[in-house]
Amino acid sequence: MNTTGTGTIDRPVTRDPKKQDPTMNPSFTETPAPVNSGSIESRQNRNLEMQLIPEALARAHMHERLQEAESERRAHRLAAARRMQRRAERASLRARRALAMAVMQ
């Protein structure tokens, strides 16, 4: 090892921490603790929420489509019921006319 030169950032003069310049490598106890350590957890929660957004959108879209389909089925059943009611009313009128014709003879 070269102990006489000053060295560079990539290749310090020595690897021994006691012989290195203290201004270049502050110790772990001298570094301040992160002020917002809880922000990492909230960021992870936010990332999870962001990943779940497409799933929530798909679920909401499917719920909306199911409601539309159910509404359409109700409309079809109502239209069919009205058609059957008109058909029954016409059959009733034909039966009355036939009965009236039979009584008149």
Side-chain angles (χ1 to χ4, degrees):
M1 278 189 210
N2 185 4
T3 57
T4 58
T6 51
T8 63
I9 292 175
D10 292 333
R11 297 177 185 264
V13 176
T14 179
R15 295 192 184 274
D16 186 10
K18 293 177 185 174
K19 294 181 183 177
Q20 287 183 355
D21 185 11
T23 59
M24 294 299 287
N25 289 330
S27 68
F28 183 71
T29 56
E30 293 173 2
T31 57
V35 177
N36 52 1
S37 61
S39 69
I40 295 171
E41 187 175 326
S42 70
R43 203 173 312 131
Q44 288 174 344
N45 286 341
R46 196 174 322 128
N47 286 343
L48 180 63
E49 289 172 12
M50 292 294 282
Q51 290 172 356
L52 295 178
I53 285 176
E55 184 179 333
L57 284 173
R59 192 177 297 119
H61 186 248
M62 285 303 298
H63 181 70
E64 186 177 332
R65 296 288 304 265
L66 285 171
Q67 283 183 334
E68 286 176 10
E70 181 61 33
S71 174
E72 196 171 322
R73 279 193 293 270
R74 277 194 302 253
H76 282 294
R77 283 195 301 261
L78 181 62
R82 285 184 177 159
R83 275 195 307 270
M84 286 189 283
Q85 183 179 7
R86 285 194 299 267
R87 189 177 301 159
E89 287 173 356
R90 284 195 302 268
S92 173
L93 279 174
R94 280 195 305 271
R96 276 190 191 169
R97 280 193 210 117
L99 181 63
M101 294 294 279
V103 169
M104 299 273 279
Q105 287 180 356

XYZ file of all heavy atoms in Angstrom:
830
model
N 0.832 -1.188 0.000
C 0.000 0.000 0.000
C 0.868 1.240 0.000
O 1.921 1.261 0.618
C -0.872 0.032 1.254
C -2.108 -0.784 1.150
S -3.123 -0.456 2.546
C -3.910 -1.990 2.663
N 0.342 2.250 -0.605
C 1.081 3.509 -0.683
C 0.615 4.393 0.460
O -0.526 4.829 0.501
C 0.815 4.161 -2.036
C 1.635 5.405 -2.242
O 2.460 5.748 -1.398
N 1.415 6.070 -3.362
N 1.499 4.723 1.397
C 1.128 5.526 2.558
C 1.650 6.935 2.458
O 1.371 7.765 3.308
C 1.674 4.888 3.850
O 3.088 4.758 3.715
C 1.010 3.565 4.107
N 2.437 7.271 1.421
C 3.012 8.608 1.337
C 2.146 9.557 0.541
O 2.160 10.757 0.782
C 4.409 8.531 0.673
O 4.258 7.934 -0.607
C 5.359 7.755 1.543
N 1.373 9.085 -0.417
C 0.554 9.949 -1.268
C -0.748 10.325 -0.584
O -1.112 9.812 0.473
N -1.460 11.258 -1.205
C -2.736 11.681 -0.640
C -3.869 10.765 -1.055
O -4.864 10.665 -0.359
C -3.075 13.120 -1.077
O -2.948 13.204 -2.480
C -2.178 14.098 -0.385
N -3.774 10.109 -2.199
C -4.818 9.204 -2.646
C -5.957 9.949 -3.318
O -5.968 11.174 -3.396
N -6.906 9.184 -3.809
C -8.077 9.759 -4.469
C -9.327 9.225 -3.792
O -9.269 8.380 -2.895
C -8.104 9.379 -5.959
O -8.230 7.968 -6.052
C -6.855 9.850 -6.675
N -10.463 9.688 -4.261
C -11.719 9.211 -3.685
C -11.895 7.737 -3.994
O -12.312 6.953 -3.149
C -12.906 10.030 -4.223
C -12.820 11.455 -3.703
C -14.238 9.396 -3.834
C -13.852 12.382 -4.260
N -11.575 7.361 -5.236
C -11.711 5.955 -5.620
C -10.692 5.066 -4.929
O -10.975 3.919 -4.594
C -11.568 5.792 -7.133
C -12.731 6.422 -7.863
O -13.819 6.497 -7.266
O -12.545 6.839 -9.019
N -9.471 5.558 -4.751
C -8.403 4.768 -4.130
C -7.807 5.559 -2.979
O -6.851 6.320 -3.167
C -7.327 4.437 -5.152
C -7.840 3.572 -6.274
C -6.748 3.334 -7.284
N -7.265 2.604 -8.425
C -7.160 1.287 -8.547
N -6.559 0.573 -7.639
N -7.652 0.695 -9.606
N -8.370 5.407 -1.790
C -7.797 6.142 -0.654
C -6.406 5.614 -0.335
O -6.003 4.541 -0.761
C -8.776 5.876 0.488
C -9.528 4.671 0.086
C -9.520 4.612 -1.411
N -5.677 6.396 0.468
C -4.309 6.031 0.817
C -4.303 4.724 1.589
O -3.526 3.828 1.316
C -3.668 7.160 1.657
C -2.277 6.764 2.106
C -3.619 8.437 0.861
N -5.177 4.578 2.515
C -5.215 3.367 3.326
C -6.652 2.938 3.548
O -7.560 3.758 3.480
C -4.514 3.585 4.670
O -4.603 2.384 5.426
C -5.157 4.701 5.460
N -6.844 1.679 3.842
C -8.179 1.185 4.129
C -8.437 1.146 5.634
O -9.535 0.844 6.056
C -8.371 -0.211 3.530
C -8.320 -0.192 2.015
C -8.802 -1.493 1.450
N -8.669 -1.521 0.001
C -9.581 -1.053 -0.831
N -10.686 -0.547 -0.361
N -9.388 -1.110 -2.130
N -7.454 1.451 6.409
C -7.594 1.453 7.861
C -8.389 2.693 8.269
O -7.951 3.819 8.014
C -6.217 1.460 8.520
C -6.310 1.312 10.035
O -7.417 1.024 10.525
O -5.284 1.479 10.704
N -9.550 2.545 8.899
C -10.364 3.714 9.251
C -9.656 4.687 10.185
O -9.919 5.876 10.146
C -11.607 3.126 9.928
C -11.614 1.686 9.604
C -10.224 1.301 9.253
N -8.760 4.202 11.000
C -8.074 5.099 11.948
C -7.094 6.025 11.231
O -6.829 7.116 11.712
C -7.314 4.276 12.985
C -8.233 3.495 13.895
C -7.440 2.652 14.851
C -8.375 1.769 15.672
N -7.634 0.834 16.512
N -6.595 5.611 10.081
C -5.612 6.406 9.365
C -6.250 7.277 8.285
O -5.567 8.086 7.682
C -4.569 5.488 8.729
C -3.737 4.755 9.734
C -2.724 3.886 9.046
C -1.926 3.084 10.064
N -0.987 2.174 9.405
N -7.522 7.137 8.038
C -8.182 7.934 7.001
C -8.542 9.299 7.553
O -8.664 9.512 8.758
C -9.431 7.223 6.489
C -9.122 6.038 5.610
C -10.383 5.411 5.061
O -11.484 5.823 5.419
N -10.215 4.420 4.197
N -8.776 10.237 6.626
C -9.164 11.599 6.992
C -10.580 11.557 7.554
O -11.510 11.108 6.873
C -9.097 12.487 5.746
C -9.361 13.944 6.067
O -9.394 14.283 7.275
O -9.526 14.733 5.124
N -10.816 12.022 8.791
C -12.158 11.929 9.386
C -13.191 12.780 8.667
O -14.380 12.515 8.738
C -11.963 12.397 10.822
C -10.687 13.140 10.832
C -9.843 12.600 9.699
N -12.780 13.817 7.956
C -13.763 14.636 7.246
C -14.307 13.914 6.029
O -15.385 14.236 5.550
C -13.143 15.970 6.803
O -12.027 15.689 5.952
C -12.707 16.773 7.999
N -13.553 12.930 5.502
C -14.004 12.209 4.318
C -15.024 11.138 4.656
O -15.917 10.856 3.871
C -12.807 11.563 3.604
C -11.846 12.557 3.020
S -12.586 13.596 1.783
C -12.736 12.440 0.460
N -14.897 10.501 5.805
C -15.792 9.419 6.203
C -16.325 9.670 7.608
O -15.719 9.235 8.585
C -15.071 8.064 6.186
C -14.776 7.595 4.791
O -15.521 7.912 3.884
N -13.698 6.862 4.629
N -17.439 10.374 7.743
C -17.990 10.553 9.087
C -18.481 9.216 9.634
O -18.966 8.376 8.887
C -19.139 11.538 8.895
C -19.505 11.400 7.464
C -18.256 10.993 6.727
N -18.340 9.031 10.900
C -18.770 7.764 11.495
C -20.285 7.706 11.545
O -20.970 8.715 11.403
C -18.186 7.605 12.902
O -18.766 8.556 13.763
N -20.816 6.528 11.800
C -22.260 6.322 11.813
C -22.917 7.131 12.912
O -24.005 7.625 12.758
C -22.558 4.828 11.987
C -24.034 4.519 11.944
C -24.738 4.610 10.756
C -24.723 4.176 13.090
C -26.089 4.346 10.705
C -26.077 3.917 13.051
C -26.754 3.997 11.854
N -22.245 7.283 14.050
C -22.853 8.015 15.172
C -22.900 9.503 14.891
O -23.727 10.209 15.448
C -22.056 7.767 16.462
O -20.693 8.133 16.235
C -22.145 6.320 16.876
N -22.019 10.009 14.014
C -22.027 11.439 13.715
C -23.094 11.808 12.695
O -23.485 12.958 12.614
C -20.653 11.859 13.185
C -19.565 11.761 14.222
C -18.191 12.030 13.620
O -18.133 12.327 12.408
O -17.215 11.934 14.346
N -23.546 10.857 11.902
C -24.571 11.173 10.906
C -25.918 11.316 11.599
O -26.281 10.493 12.445
C -24.668 10.069 9.836
O -24.941 8.843 10.487
C -23.387 9.973 9.039
N -26.637 12.379 11.284
C -27.939 12.567 11.940
C -28.937 11.519 11.457
O -28.894 11.097 10.312
C -28.359 13.972 11.511
C -27.629 14.207 10.231
C -26.327 13.445 10.345
N -29.805 11.132 12.364
C -30.852 10.159 12.024
C -31.842 10.833 11.087
O -32.077 12.038 11.183
C -31.556 9.685 13.285
N -32.424 10.120 10.168
C -33.413 10.734 9.283
C -34.587 11.280 10.088
O -35.110 10.610 10.976
C -33.844 9.615 8.353
C -33.232 8.365 8.851
C -32.209 8.730 9.882
N -34.974 12.495 9.743
C -36.039 13.155 10.491
C -37.376 12.477 10.241
O -38.175 12.285 11.153
C -36.108 14.651 10.087
C -37.254 15.340 10.797
C -34.787 15.321 10.388
N -37.625 12.089 9.014
C -38.921 11.524 8.669
C -38.773 10.037 8.355
O -38.993 9.605 7.243
C -39.554 12.280 7.515
C -38.600 12.401 6.340
O -37.472 11.902 6.396
N -39.044 13.039 5.283
N -38.410 9.254 9.344
C -38.258 7.816 9.126
C -39.612 7.147 8.877
O -39.673 6.097 8.257
C -37.550 7.161 10.309
O -38.310 7.352 11.482
N -40.686 7.753 9.358
C -42.015 7.206 9.110
C -42.472 7.416 7.680
O -43.411 6.784 7.215
N -41.782 8.328 6.962
C -42.187 8.594 5.582
C -41.915 7.395 4.690
O -42.592 7.200 3.686
C -41.459 9.813 5.041
O -40.090 9.515 4.875
N -40.915 6.586 5.033
C -40.625 5.391 4.225
C -41.814 4.448 4.280
O -42.262 3.931 3.254
C -39.340 4.696 4.733
C -38.143 5.612 4.510
C -39.135 3.360 4.039
C -36.872 5.130 5.158
N -42.352 4.269 5.488
C -43.509 3.369 5.631
C -44.721 3.927 4.892
O -45.423 3.188 4.204
C -43.834 3.186 7.109
C -44.900 2.163 7.368
C -45.115 1.927 8.854
O -44.156 2.005 9.611
O -46.270 1.673 9.219
N -44.947 5.247 5.016
C -46.094 5.831 4.315
C -45.887 5.762 2.810
O -46.825 5.575 2.047
C -46.319 7.269 4.757
O -45.282 8.102 4.272
N -44.628 5.888 2.359
C -44.346 5.784 0.935
C -44.626 4.368 0.444
O -45.170 4.174 -0.629
C -42.887 6.158 0.672
C -42.644 6.605 -0.740
C -41.239 7.141 -0.949
N -40.829 8.092 0.047
C -39.664 8.038 0.718
N -38.809 7.082 0.472
N -39.366 8.940 1.610
N -44.270 3.376 1.266
C -44.555 1.997 0.881
C -46.058 1.762 0.813
O -46.548 1.095 -0.096
C -43.904 1.022 1.861
C -42.398 0.956 1.711
C -41.761 0.100 2.789
O -42.384 -0.207 3.796
N -40.515 -0.269 2.575
N -46.793 2.323 1.786
C -48.254 2.181 1.755
C -48.819 2.858 0.507
O -49.727 2.347 -0.128
C -48.880 2.780 3.003
C -48.654 1.913 4.219
O -48.347 0.731 4.094
N -48.776 2.491 5.387
N -48.265 4.029 0.172
C -48.735 4.744 -1.003
C -48.429 3.937 -2.258
O -49.253 3.861 -3.162
C -48.062 6.114 -1.074
C -48.752 7.064 -2.009
C -48.174 8.472 -1.964
N -47.796 8.895 -0.654
C -46.592 9.389 -0.352
N -45.675 9.520 -1.280
N -46.310 9.780 0.873
N -47.255 3.317 -2.311
C -46.921 2.492 -3.471
C -47.891 1.322 -3.576
O -48.331 0.975 -4.666
C -45.493 1.975 -3.375
C -44.485 3.068 -3.650
O -44.826 4.097 -4.208
N -43.253 2.857 -3.250
N -48.218 0.704 -2.435
C -49.172 -0.404 -2.442
C -50.530 0.070 -2.929
O -51.173 -0.576 -3.756
C -49.286 -1.015 -1.050
C -50.258 -2.177 -0.907
C -49.802 -3.349 -1.760
C -50.361 -2.599 0.544
N -50.950 1.238 -2.433
C -52.237 1.782 -2.876
C -52.215 2.073 -4.373
O -53.188 1.817 -5.083
C -52.560 3.061 -2.110
C -52.925 2.826 -0.654
C -53.055 4.124 0.111
O -53.079 5.197 -0.517
O -53.130 4.052 1.355
N -51.100 2.600 -4.862
C -50.990 2.898 -6.291
C -51.061 1.607 -7.114
O -51.640 1.597 -8.194
C -49.672 3.614 -6.593
C -49.601 5.007 -6.027
S -50.765 6.119 -6.796
C -49.911 6.464 -8.303
N -50.490 0.528 -6.592
C -50.547 -0.737 -7.312
C -51.957 -1.310 -7.314
O -52.345 -2.022 -8.238
C -49.583 -1.747 -6.696
C -48.136 -1.405 -6.947
C -47.200 -2.303 -6.170
O -47.645 -3.138 -5.392
N -45.911 -2.125 -6.374
N -52.743 -0.992 -6.277
C -54.091 -1.545 -6.174
C -55.139 -0.705 -6.903
O -56.280 -1.128 -7.045
C -54.482 -1.692 -4.701
C -53.660 -2.703 -3.906
C -54.108 -2.728 -2.466
C -53.763 -4.085 -4.508
N -54.766 0.486 -7.370
C -55.729 1.359 -8.055
C -56.329 0.693 -9.289
O -57.551 0.705 -9.459
C -55.099 2.726 -8.387
C -55.012 3.556 -7.107
C -55.891 3.463 -9.451
C -54.312 4.882 -7.298
N -55.534 0.078 -10.180
C -56.166 -0.563 -11.344
C -57.142 -1.665 -10.951
O -58.186 -1.825 -11.584
C -54.978 -1.145 -12.117
C -53.804 -0.352 -11.679
C -54.083 0.041 -10.272
N -56.817 -2.393 -9.888
C -57.726 -3.453 -9.437
C -59.035 -2.840 -8.943
O -60.120 -3.337 -9.255
C -57.050 -4.247 -8.327
C -57.845 -5.429 -7.851
C -57.128 -6.205 -6.765
O -55.895 -6.181 -6.726
O -57.837 -6.828 -5.963
N -58.939 -1.751 -8.185
C -60.149 -1.097 -7.683
C -60.972 -0.526 -8.837
O -62.207 -0.613 -8.833
C -59.768 0.017 -6.697
N -60.291 0.050 -9.814
C -61.013 0.570 -10.982
C -61.716 -0.548 -11.749
O -62.861 -0.396 -12.171
C -60.044 1.302 -11.914
C -59.598 2.686 -11.460
C -58.522 3.210 -12.384
C -60.770 3.635 -11.420
N -61.028 -1.669 -11.903
C -61.636 -2.802 -12.610
C -62.839 -3.325 -11.844
O -63.871 -3.654 -12.430
C -60.602 -3.909 -12.800
N -62.712 -3.377 -10.512
C -63.828 -3.860 -9.694
C -65.021 -2.912 -9.815
O -66.165 -3.349 -9.970
C -63.375 -3.972 -8.234
C -64.346 -4.733 -7.369
C -63.846 -4.901 -5.946
N -62.636 -5.676 -5.895
C -61.475 -5.247 -5.425
N -61.364 -4.026 -4.958
N -60.413 -6.018 -5.407
N -64.767 -1.603 -9.775
C -65.853 -0.626 -9.907
C -66.490 -0.716 -11.288
O -67.717 -0.627 -11.428
C -65.312 0.783 -9.667
N -65.652 -0.905 -12.316
C -66.177 -1.023 -13.679
C -67.050 -2.259 -13.816
O -68.132 -2.203 -14.413
C -65.003 -1.078 -14.656
C -65.405 -1.050 -16.079
N -65.250 -2.114 -16.917
C -65.988 -0.079 -16.819
C -65.713 -1.802 -18.105
N -66.156 -0.582 -18.087
N -66.605 -3.373 -13.259
C -67.403 -4.603 -13.336
C -68.716 -4.447 -12.568
O -69.761 -4.922 -13.012
C -66.612 -5.791 -12.785
C -65.534 -6.282 -13.717
S -66.168 -6.756 -15.324
C -67.254 -8.092 -14.901
N -68.660 -3.780 -11.414
C -69.884 -3.556 -10.636
C -70.874 -2.729 -11.454
O -72.073 -3.040 -11.497
C -69.522 -2.838 -9.331
C -70.694 -2.578 -8.452
N -71.364 -3.592 -7.789
C -71.338 -1.436 -8.122
C -72.360 -3.066 -7.092
N -72.365 -1.766 -7.289
N -70.353 -1.700 -12.122
C -71.217 -0.852 -12.956
C -71.808 -1.652 -14.120
O -72.994 -1.526 -14.431
C -70.392 0.320 -13.488
C -71.195 1.345 -14.249
C -70.350 2.518 -14.692
O -69.355 2.816 -14.018
O -70.690 3.113 -15.719
N -70.980 -2.476 -14.760
C -71.471 -3.297 -15.875
C -72.530 -4.286 -15.405
O -73.516 -4.530 -16.112
C -70.313 -4.064 -16.525
C -69.252 -3.213 -17.195
C -69.752 -2.582 -18.476
N -70.252 -3.538 -19.425
C -69.564 -4.072 -20.412
N -68.323 -3.720 -20.610
N -70.118 -4.945 -21.221
N -72.341 -4.882 -14.225
C -73.341 -5.812 -13.690
C -74.662 -5.101 -13.422
O -75.738 -5.645 -13.693
C -72.826 -6.475 -12.418
C -71.770 -7.555 -12.625
C -71.175 -7.979 -11.288
C -72.382 -8.754 -13.329
N -74.583 -3.881 -12.888
C -75.813 -3.119 -12.644
C -76.516 -2.793 -13.959
O -77.746 -2.870 -14.051
C -75.496 -1.829 -11.887
C -75.231 -2.047 -10.414
C -74.991 -0.745 -9.686
O -74.553 0.236 -10.268
N -75.263 -0.743 -8.392
N -75.733 -2.416 -14.985
C -76.331 -2.136 -16.289
C -77.014 -3.380 -16.856
O -78.119 -3.295 -17.403
C -75.245 -1.672 -17.268
C -74.745 -0.277 -17.027
C -73.604 0.087 -17.966
O -73.341 -0.672 -18.927
O -72.979 1.130 -17.737
N -76.353 -4.531 -16.726
C -76.921 -5.773 -17.261
C -78.210 -6.133 -16.528
O -79.201 -6.534 -17.156
C -75.907 -6.907 -17.137
N -78.214 -5.975 -15.205
C -79.425 -6.280 -14.428
C -80.559 -5.325 -14.811
O -81.707 -5.750 -14.960
C -79.122 -6.169 -12.926
C -80.298 -6.496 -12.033
C -80.806 -7.924 -12.217
O -79.986 -8.819 -12.504
O -82.022 -8.130 -12.062
N -80.242 -4.051 -14.993
C -81.251 -3.081 -15.404
C -81.814 -3.430 -16.785
O -83.024 -3.349 -17.014
C -80.627 -1.683 -15.429
O -81.532 -0.748 -15.944
N -80.930 -3.850 -17.681
C -81.378 -4.236 -19.020
C -82.270 -5.474 -18.962
O -83.287 -5.553 -19.663
C -80.150 -4.506 -19.900
C -80.459 -4.535 -21.364
C -79.200 -4.577 -22.206
O -78.216 -3.913 -21.838
O -79.218 -5.289 -23.222
N -81.909 -6.437 -18.111
C -82.763 -7.639 -17.966
C -84.140 -7.272 -17.437
O -85.154 -7.792 -17.903
C -82.088 -8.652 -17.040
C -81.029 -9.488 -17.721
C -80.616 -10.665 -16.866
N -79.918 -10.270 -15.671
C -78.588 -10.114 -15.580
N -77.835 -10.339 -16.642
N -78.032 -9.747 -14.455
N -84.181 -6.356 -16.455
C -85.491 -5.923 -15.929
C -86.313 -5.259 -17.027
O -87.524 -5.480 -17.133
C -85.294 -4.960 -14.760
C -85.049 -5.640 -13.440
C -85.200 -4.662 -12.287
N -84.283 -3.539 -12.421
C -83.195 -3.342 -11.694
N -82.878 -4.193 -10.747
N -82.425 -2.306 -11.885
N -85.669 -4.426 -17.851
C -86.388 -3.752 -18.939
C -86.936 -4.768 -19.932
O -88.080 -4.642 -20.403
C -85.452 -2.762 -19.637
N -86.152 -5.797 -20.257
C -86.623 -6.837 -21.190
C -87.802 -7.610 -20.601
O -88.776 -7.905 -21.306
C -85.491 -7.804 -21.544
C -84.544 -7.255 -22.556
N -84.896 -6.992 -23.855
C -83.241 -6.898 -22.445
C -83.862 -6.501 -24.505
N -82.837 -6.434 -23.674
N -87.707 -7.933 -19.312
C -88.820 -8.661 -18.673
C -90.078 -7.804 -18.648
O -91.190 -8.312 -18.876
C -88.435 -9.070 -17.247
C -87.506 -10.264 -17.192
C -87.441 -10.867 -15.802
N -86.979 -9.931 -14.784
C -85.722 -9.877 -14.326
N -84.817 -10.705 -14.781
N -85.390 -9.007 -13.401
N -89.933 -6.504 -18.386
C -91.084 -5.615 -18.361
C -91.718 -5.515 -19.749
O -92.955 -5.591 -19.883
C -90.665 -4.223 -17.873
C -91.768 -3.179 -17.758
C -92.819 -3.608 -16.733
C -91.186 -1.832 -17.391
N -90.881 -5.390 -20.771
C -91.420 -5.313 -22.132
C -92.129 -6.613 -22.503
O -93.220 -6.584 -23.112
C -90.285 -5.028 -23.119
N -91.565 -7.739 -22.134
C -92.209 -9.038 -22.439
C -93.528 -9.153 -21.687
O -94.532 -9.638 -22.245
C -91.272 -10.184 -22.055
N -93.569 -8.694 -20.425
C -94.815 -8.764 -19.652
C -95.895 -7.891 -20.289
O -97.067 -8.282 -20.344
C -94.548 -8.324 -18.208
N -95.503 -6.712 -20.777
C -96.486 -5.834 -21.424
C -97.011 -6.456 -22.721
O -98.216 -6.366 -23.013
C -95.867 -4.467 -21.704
C -95.726 -3.641 -20.447
C -95.199 -2.272 -20.735
N -95.137 -1.489 -19.508
C -94.372 -0.422 -19.347
N -93.613 0.007 -20.333
N -94.375 0.216 -18.206
N -96.114 -7.096 -23.485
C -96.565 -7.774 -24.716
C -97.567 -8.881 -24.388
O -98.603 -9.007 -25.036
C -95.361 -8.369 -25.463
C -94.656 -7.388 -26.366
C -93.723 -8.101 -27.330
N -92.791 -9.003 -26.681
C -91.573 -8.665 -26.237
N -91.142 -7.421 -26.391
N -90.792 -9.555 -25.663
N -97.239 -9.676 -23.364
C -98.148 -10.776 -22.986
C -99.477 -10.231 -22.475
O -100.530 -10.814 -22.746
C -97.495 -11.659 -21.919
C -96.390 -12.544 -22.478
S -95.795 -13.758 -21.316
C -94.770 -12.771 -20.264
N -99.446 -9.095 -21.771
C -100.685 -8.510 -21.268
C -101.569 -8.051 -22.433
O -102.785 -8.300 -22.441
C -100.371 -7.329 -20.347
C -101.613 -6.708 -19.724
C -101.258 -5.549 -18.794
O -100.115 -5.140 -18.718
N -102.256 -5.041 -18.111
N -100.962 -7.383 -23.419
C -101.759 -6.953 -24.596
C -102.334 -8.151 -25.342
O -103.492 -8.130 -25.781
C -100.878 -6.101 -25.519
C -100.625 -4.692 -24.996
C -100.045 -3.801 -26.078
N -98.759 -4.274 -26.577
C -97.568 -3.883 -26.104
N -97.519 -3.010 -25.103
N -96.452 -4.357 -26.620
N -101.529 -9.202 -25.477
C -102.007 -10.415 -26.166
C -103.185 -11.025 -25.405
O -104.184 -11.448 -25.999
C -100.852 -11.417 -26.259
C -101.177 -12.606 -27.131
C -99.979 -13.531 -27.257
N -98.823 -12.856 -27.832
C -97.560 -13.272 -27.692
N -97.280 -14.340 -26.979
N -96.576 -12.616 -28.264
N -103.075 -11.047 -24.057
C -104.161 -11.606 -23.242
C -105.418 -10.751 -23.354
O -106.548 -11.278 -23.411
C -103.713 -11.713 -21.784
N -105.245 -9.424 -23.408
C -106.410 -8.551 -23.548
C -107.095 -8.768 -24.902
O -108.331 -8.800 -24.976
C -105.991 -7.082 -23.394
C -105.665 -6.699 -21.951
C -105.080 -5.291 -21.832
O -104.857 -4.626 -22.875
O -104.842 -4.875 -20.697
N -106.316 -8.922 -25.960
C -106.906 -9.192 -27.284
C -107.642 -10.537 -27.294
O -108.737 -10.661 -27.848
C -105.822 -9.163 -28.369
C -105.371 -7.757 -28.727
C -104.584 -7.737 -30.026
N -103.405 -8.601 -30.004
C -102.171 -8.234 -29.647
N -101.956 -6.968 -29.269
N -101.175 -9.082 -29.662
N -107.048 -11.545 -26.651
C -107.703 -12.864 -26.586
C -108.995 -12.758 -25.792
O -110.021 -13.379 -26.145
C -106.757 -13.882 -25.939
N -108.991 -11.962 -24.743
C -110.204 -11.782 -23.938
C -111.293 -11.103 -24.775
O -112.481 -11.498 -24.698
C -109.881 -10.942 -22.703
O -111.048 -10.615 -21.988
N -110.911 -10.089 -25.546
C -111.894 -9.420 -26.406
C -112.470 -10.390 -27.449
O -113.678 -10.386 -27.710
C -111.252 -8.221 -27.122
C -111.134 -6.939 -26.294
C -110.354 -5.876 -27.058
C -112.547 -6.422 -25.962
N -111.620 -11.214 -28.048
C -112.107 -12.200 -29.029
C -113.085 -13.178 -28.374
O -114.123 -13.524 -28.948
C -110.932 -12.967 -29.645
C -110.234 -12.209 -30.740
C -109.323 -13.116 -31.563
N -108.346 -13.842 -30.774
C -107.115 -13.422 -30.441
N -106.717 -12.218 -30.882
N -106.302 -14.145 -29.737
N -112.758 -13.592 -27.138
C -113.636 -14.535 -26.430
C -114.977 -13.873 -26.128
O -116.041 -14.500 -26.258
C -112.957 -15.002 -25.142
N -114.989 -12.607 -25.737
C -116.239 -11.898 -25.455
C -117.090 -11.789 -26.720
O -118.308 -11.975 -26.687
C -115.951 -10.484 -24.933
C -115.689 -10.422 -23.485
C -115.678 -8.964 -23.048
N -115.163 -8.851 -21.695
C -114.844 -7.714 -21.136
N -114.937 -6.593 -21.822
N -114.431 -7.687 -19.904
N -116.397 -11.407 -27.811
C -117.137 -11.295 -29.075
C -117.736 -12.646 -29.485
O -118.891 -12.724 -29.933
C -116.224 -10.790 -30.181
C -116.016 -9.316 -30.149
C -115.367 -8.811 -31.444
N -114.557 -7.642 -31.142
C -113.255 -7.542 -31.294
N -112.573 -8.551 -31.775
N -112.615 -6.456 -30.961
N -116.957 -13.691 -29.328
C -117.459 -15.033 -29.703
C -118.631 -15.411 -28.837
O -119.640 -15.967 -29.327
C -116.327 -16.056 -29.566
N -118.553 -15.087 -27.534
C -119.659 -15.402 -26.627
C -120.885 -14.571 -26.998
O -122.030 -15.093 -27.016
C -119.242 -15.127 -25.177
C -120.274 -15.431 -24.103
C -120.600 -16.947 -24.093
C -119.810 -14.998 -22.739
N -120.672 -13.314 -27.288
C -121.802 -12.433 -27.680
C -122.444 -12.947 -28.965
O -123.681 -12.950 -29.103
C -121.326 -11.004 -27.844
N -121.626 -13.359 -29.909
C -122.164 -13.895 -31.174
C -122.967 -15.181 -30.911
O -124.026 -15.381 -31.521
C -121.027 -14.186 -32.152
C -120.301 -12.935 -32.619
S -121.332 -11.858 -33.598
C -121.214 -12.658 -35.136
N -122.483 -16.014 -29.994
C -123.167 -17.274 -29.699
C -124.499 -16.993 -29.010
O -125.506 -17.689 -29.258
C -122.286 -18.160 -28.824
N -124.535 -15.994 -28.135
C -125.765 -15.672 -27.414
C -126.777 -15.035 -28.357
O -127.983 -15.258 -28.248
C -125.473 -14.735 -26.209
C -126.740 -14.175 -25.597
C -124.648 -15.461 -25.181
N -126.306 -14.231 -29.289
C -127.197 -13.538 -30.214
C -127.872 -14.502 -31.175
O -128.966 -14.219 -31.660
C -126.420 -12.492 -31.036
C -125.778 -11.416 -30.192
S -126.845 -10.049 -29.860
C -126.741 -9.109 -31.312
N -127.343 -15.619 -31.480
C -127.948 -16.512 -32.462
C -129.090 -17.252 -31.915
O -129.543 -17.674 -31.076
C -126.911 -17.493 -32.984
C -125.931 -16.834 -33.898
C -124.885 -17.821 -34.416
O -124.867 -18.978 -34.020
N -124.052 -17.344 -35.300
